[in-house]
Amino acid sequence: MQTNELVRVELIFSQAVEEDFFDSFRKEKIVYNYTKIDNVTGSGYSNPKLGDAIWPQLNEMMIIYCPKGEAEKIVEVVNKLREHYPAEGIACFLSSAQLR
């Protein structure tokens, strides 16, 4: 069976910047195929996003499988948005994947 090498990109970001991500992806002509999980809670390197009375914000999560070149463009978008929103705690994780 032939396999195709891909990169798995996991993004976790505040709902407040979701539109900025999609606008950036459209401008760069990337990320047409993805899975988005709404209302993600958690605590990282910024304020917790727990959706409760104390920490009312929530995160979004995107999982993207793409070629290495597209993953590099996604990382560029992430870095630009981190510069623009330094307090939002935008997370980006890359790992290798295979389509079988």
Side-chain angles (χ1 to χ4, degrees), residues 19-75:
E19 187 174 330
D20 295 271
F21 267 98
F22 283 103
D23 286 347
S24 297
F25 293 155
R26 273 191 294 277
K27 287 177 188 171
E28 295 294 326
K29 296 180 173 67
I30 56 174
V31 187
Y32 295 104
N33 302 303
Y34 60 88
T35 298
K36 185 169 85 73
I37 303 167
D38 295 321
N39 303 325
V40 175
T41 61
S43 178
Y45 295 104
S46 66
N47 289 331
K49 309 285 194 300
L50 302 177
D52 62 15
I54 298 183
W55 302 105
Q57 287 187 316
L58 290 166
N59 282 328
E60 304 289 330
M61 181 176 182
M62 290 182 72
I63 302 169
I64 304 156
Y65 291 93
C66 60
K68 183 179 178 183
E70 184 173 347
E72 290 169 354
K73 290 181 181 181
I74 293 169
V75 170

Side-chain angles (χ1 to χ4, degrees), residues 2 9-10 28 46 48 52 67-68 75 78 80 87 97-98:
Q2 181 181 1
V9 181
E10 293 180 31
E28 295 294 326
S46 66
D52 62 15
K68 183 179 178 183
V75 170
V78 167
K80 288 178 186 175
Q98 293 181 342

